[in-house]
Amino acid sequence: MSNFRSPSQPAISGFTIVEMLIIAPIVLLTIGAFITVIVNITGEVLASRNANVLAYNVQDTLNRIENDVKANGTSFVEANRITPLTSPQGYDDNIAGFSNVGASGTMLILNTPMTTGNPATLSSNVLYFNAPNSCASLNFNKNATMMMNIVYFVKTDAITNIGTLWRRTIVPSNYLTAGTCGTPWQQPSCLTGSGTLCTTQDIRLLDGIAVNDFVLQYFTLASDTVPNSIAGDIAQPAASRATALQSATTVGATLTASKTAAGRTVSQTGTMRVSRVTN
């Protein structure tokens, strides 16, 4: 009997251990570089997106300030003129007053007439009291106007340490029963919208803004290039600031807000200058 011999098996090609030791680090470095590029691109996209959103919020806030300042009959004041404040409409969400300058930072305080509708619409009318002339009289618009305060202020969250710019509407506590020629369109606001007086929440305008990043300058004339130094001087007494603000026709506002996204800090600054309506 003859012996059977299997054909020889072909050699199996592959990487040697030495080759693997050389190639593996190159592969790992290539993968790591690719991941780094993807992470950087993703981070840039997220940062760019957040920067655009922040820029929009800054501009939207400036537009809102501009609209409020341009409302007919609006004036700049050094402190809230609606007194006494009813809780929780105060700065401390109780009865603490507002000041245009002070330890709590810069605030824009507007004294403006209440209206029967949205001030931006033509159908809206100034809200007059119904005495001494009755609402049916042709002279009812010679009666006193019901006023309110609009306050823009920055408040820092004690937990997150992030500052937020808020817009609060302060109205007389008897605004619904004081007797006026029409129903007030504006509603009193506070942080949560709770309380016996507040019927709506403050408007949250801009996050990531520090107290010192809300800068206001007042000008006596719209053409002035040098601001009124007294109107926003914390060292000046309230009476002096009130006089300076009464003569001011124009305010310049600068907002700077920051936000962290994908490990990157993005920041946006906006500036606006607007004049109130003077009769």
Side-chain angles (χ1 to χ4, degrees), residues 19-71:
E19 291 173 327
M20 289 293 293
L21 291 176
I22 295 174
I23 295 174
I26 297 175
V27 173
L28 292 175
L29 288 174
T30 302
I31 294 174
F34 177 76
I35 292 175
T36 300
V37 170
I38 295 299
V39 169
N40 285 335
I41 292 175
T42 303
E44 289 293 339
V45 171
L46 291 175
S48 177
R49 178 181 179 277
N50 279 275
N52 291 336
V53 172
L54 197 59
Y56 173 83
N57 290 338
V58 168
Q59 188 58 52
D60 185 60
T61 299
L62 292 174
N63 290 342
R64 184 177 287 273
I65 292 175
E66 180 178 7
N67 290 335
D68 282 337
V69 171
K70 283 184 175 180

Side-chain angles (χ1 to χ4, degrees), residues 63-107:
N63 290 342
R64 184 177 287 273
I65 292 175
E66 180 178 7
N67 290 335
D68 282 337
V69 171
K70 283 184 175 180
N72 188 37
T74 296
S75 60
F76 310 118
V77 290
E78 82 293 349
N80 53 282
R81 295 297 175 85
I82 305 301
T83 56
L85 288 175
T86 303
S87 179
Q89 287 218 284
Y91 174 77
D92 60 349
D93 301 321
N94 193 357
I95 59 173
F98 295 86
S99 176
N100 74 314
V101 291
S104 300
T106 300
M107 302 180 189

